[in-house]
């Protein structure tokens, strides 16, 4: 059942005044929102697996997302998750975000060279999960993507999005 409440005036608890409700939100724009407000959220998902046996080299994955900030001084909160697997006899597992503004140079954010470690000859689950807050200082289109790396190890192999999905969420926060 749907209900609708109609009123022109609310009285305060003490009865000492009223609160006018007429058009309280009319004319509200993103420009009039206070600092700390979320002005946009972008989400992307996929399920394309990337498998690599490359050692000591950053490998691009299928996880990427685009956003065009509304304000140049905004913060962009980045959240990424994906399932995966690793195998190898002794090696660090690294991950990082790559940022490219309007087809420009690569910038690497939140690099973790030892997010994990593998020292087994059996497949081990790997959660490719990371968060970061970026200050890109632009209103141009930005692409964020995810990269992984495994250091020297016998029989090393990484799988990103192994029979699972990746998920990116970008949240623009007005400053």
């Amino acid at each position: 059942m749907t209900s609708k409440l109609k009123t022109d005036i609310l009285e305060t608890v003490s009865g000492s005044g009223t609160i006018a409700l007429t058009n309280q939100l009319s004319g509200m724009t993103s420009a009039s929102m206070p600092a700390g407000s979320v002005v946009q959220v972008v989400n992307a998902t996929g399920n394309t697996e990337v498998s690599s046996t490359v050692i000591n080299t950053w490998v691009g994955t299928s996880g990427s997302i685009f956003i065009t900030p509304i304000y140049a001084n905004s913060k962009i909160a980045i959240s990424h998750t994906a399932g995966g697997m690793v195998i190898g006899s002794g090696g660090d597992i690294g991950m990082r975000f790559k940022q490219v503004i309007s087809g420009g140079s690569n910038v690497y954010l939140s690099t973790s060279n030892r997010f994990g470690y593998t020292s087994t000859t059996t497949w081990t689950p790997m959660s490719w999960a990371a968060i970061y807050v970026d200050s890109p200082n632009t209103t141009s289109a930005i692409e964020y993507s995810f990269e992984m790396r495994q250091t020297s190890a016998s029989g090393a192999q990484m799988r990103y999005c192994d029979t699972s999905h990746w998920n990116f969420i970008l949240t623009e926060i007005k400053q």
Side-chain angles (χ1 to χ4, degrees):
M1 177 197 304
T2 303
S3 298
K4 186 184 282 189
L5 172 66
K6 293 184 177 185
T7 185
D8 291 324
I9 298 175
L10 291 178
E11 188 173 312
T12 62
V13 174
S14 66
S16 62
T18 59
I19 303 167
L21 299 177
T22 308
N23 296 319
Q24 292 296 310
L25 297 177
S26 66
M28 174 75 86
T29 65
S30 61
S32 62
M33 295 179 72
S37 297
V38 171
V39 292
Q40 70 172 311
V41 176
V42 180
N43 181 58
T45 62
N47 62 358
T48 303
E49 181 182 313
V50 173
S51 182
S52 175
T53 57
V54 177
I55 302 297
N56 286 323
T57 301
W58 289 99
V59 176
T61 67
S62 58
S64 71
I65 189 169
F66 292 85
I67 190 170
T68 301
I70 296 169
Y71 300 102
N73 66 340
S74 289
K75 302 285 187 193
I76 307 295
I78 308 166
S79 175
H80 172 274
T81 59
M85 303 286 281
V86 294
I87 191 171
S89 298
D92 293 335
I93 307 298
M95 64 180 181
R96 69 183 180 188
F97 290 119
K98 180 172 80 171
Q99 173 212 73
V100 179
I101 299 174
S102 292
S105 301
N106 297 339
V107 175
Y108 299 101
L109 311 169
S110 187
T111 299
S112 175
N113 289 308
R114 192 171 191 184
F115 175 74
Y117 185 82
T118 183
S119 63
T120 178
T121 56
T122 59
W123 286 101
T124 304
M126 182 71 190
S127 175
W128 300 107
I131 56 174
Y132 183 76
V133 177
D134 189 22
S135 302
N137 295 315
T138 187
T139 56
S140 296
I142 306 168
E143 178 184 15
Y144 291 100
S145 58
F146 190 81
E147 295 185 341
M148 60 186 182
R149 183 185 77 158
Q150 188 168 8
T151 61
S152 197
S154 174
Q157 187 173 355
M158 300 175 293
R159 289 186 181 162
Y160 171 87
C161 201
D162 179 61
T163 67
S164 67
H165 285 78
W166 57 264
N167 189 34
F168 254 117
I169 300 171
L170 302 179
T171 305
E172 180 179 357
I173 304 164
K174 184 178 179 184
Q175 296 302 298

